[in-house]
Amino acid sequence: MSVESVILLVMSAIFINNFVLAKFLGICPFIGVSRQLDSALGMGMAVTFVLTISSVVTWFVHSYLLVPYGLEFLKTIAFILVIAALVQFVELVLKKSSPALYKTLGIYLPLITTNCAVLGAASINVQKGYNLLMSTVFGLGAGLGFTLALILMAGVRERLEECNIPKVLRGAPIAFITAGLISLAFMGFAGMIKE
């Protein structure tokens, strides 16, 4: 695998196939945690860590446990168990090292377990037949793309708090309109990298 293909895979995962803005995976934490830049960055880092490590661990589980024993049909359950264990680890580390961030993320931190972006990355790695390095790189790129989307949304939403928005558009309506506009902007990257 060449350096060029690694860079293309990362750029594709961040910009072209962004899990939130192009595949519409992980919308719950995207809308829920993107009110403040600090919490968005913290959630992005947590999701990036879980996406990267879960991509590695699920590759091993799939390659060395499920495939050799003909248990591919248990892929989803096995992947969810791996992701849940990793999220518990992240939750414990954040609780000890950064109680303020742990409290800010609140319910959205354990919801990483059911974040379809994390499960989606593991499934895509298997579906596309990525090797260990490609799975790791794809997981990292997907996490960075998720983080970028969260930070962009948080920056816009913080600015919107200072604007005079009509009452009917305040809160969720303007958040969804903003998400749609950011998603449209990212559609401009479509077709730049051929897979």
Side-chain angles (χ1 to χ4, degrees), residues 14 33 117 183 185 194:
I14 293 173
V33 183
S183 181
K194 301 290 182 202

PDB file of all heavy atoms in Angstrom, residues 14 33 117 183 185 194:
ATOM      1  N   ILE A  14     -12.474  12.033   5.127  1.00  0.00           N
ATOM      2  CA  ILE A  14     -12.724  13.325   5.778  1.00  0.00           C
ATOM      3  C   ILE A  14     -13.672  14.189   4.963  1.00  0.00           C
ATOM      4  O   ILE A  14     -14.650  14.729   5.495  1.00  0.00           O
ATOM      5  CB  ILE A  14     -11.400  14.085   6.020  1.00  0.00           C
ATOM      6  CG1 ILE A  14     -10.544  13.357   7.046  1.00  0.00           C
ATOM      7  CG2 ILE A  14     -11.676  15.518   6.486  1.00  0.00           C
ATOM      8  CD1 ILE A  14      -9.155  13.933   7.217  1.00  0.00           C
ATOM      9  N   VAL A  33     -24.326  17.657  20.447  1.00  0.00           N
ATOM     10  CA  VAL A  33     -23.108  18.122  21.122  1.00  0.00           C
ATOM     11  C   VAL A  33     -22.502  19.329  20.429  1.00  0.00           C
ATOM     12  O   VAL A  33     -21.527  19.890  20.895  1.00  0.00           O
ATOM     13  CB  VAL A  33     -22.083  16.960  21.202  1.00  0.00           C
ATOM     14  CG1 VAL A  33     -20.837  17.363  21.944  1.00  0.00           C
ATOM     15  CG2 VAL A  33     -22.696  15.769  21.889  1.00  0.00           C
ATOM     16  N   ALA A 117     -22.144   5.715  13.079  1.00  0.00           N
ATOM     17  CA  ALA A 117     -20.904   6.014  12.363  1.00  0.00           C
ATOM     18  C   ALA A 117     -19.805   5.028  12.756  1.00  0.00           C
ATOM     19  O   ALA A 117     -19.041   4.568  11.905  1.00  0.00           O
ATOM     20  CB  ALA A 117     -20.454   7.443  12.636  1.00  0.00           C
ATOM     21  N   SER A 183     -23.640  20.422   4.703  1.00  0.00           N
ATOM     22  CA  SER A 183     -23.623  19.200   3.903  1.00  0.00           C
ATOM     23  C   SER A 183     -23.575  19.518   2.410  1.00  0.00           C
ATOM     24  O   SER A 183     -22.834  18.883   1.654  1.00  0.00           O
ATOM     25  CB  SER A 183     -24.855  18.351   4.219  1.00  0.00           C
ATOM     26  OG  SER A 183     -24.844  17.169   3.476  1.00  0.00           O
ATOM     27  N   ALA A 185     -22.281  22.163   1.089  1.00  0.00           N
ATOM     28  CA  ALA A 185     -20.933  22.653   0.798  1.00  0.00           C
ATOM     29  C   ALA A 185     -19.967  21.486   0.613  1.00  0.00           C
ATOM     30  O   ALA A 185     -19.118  21.502  -0.276  1.00  0.00           O
ATOM     31  CB  ALA A 185     -20.459  23.574   1.916  1.00  0.00           C
ATOM     32  N   LYS A 194     -11.561   9.211  -7.188  1.00  0.00           N
ATOM     33  CA  LYS A 194     -12.243   8.020  -7.703  1.00  0.00           C
ATOM     34  C   LYS A 194     -11.831   6.820  -6.879  1.00  0.00           C
ATOM     35  O   LYS A 194     -10.649   6.569  -6.684  1.00  0.00           O
ATOM     36  CB  LYS A 194     -11.882   7.781  -9.177  1.00  0.00           C
ATOM     37  CG  LYS A 194     -12.246   8.932 -10.085  1.00  0.00           C
ATOM     38  CD  LYS A 194     -13.719   9.032 -10.232  1.00  0.00           C
ATOM     39  CE  LYS A 194     -14.039  10.175 -11.185  1.00  0.00           C
ATOM     40  NZ  LYS A 194     -15.351  10.691 -11.030  1.00  0.00           N
TER      41      LYS A 194
END
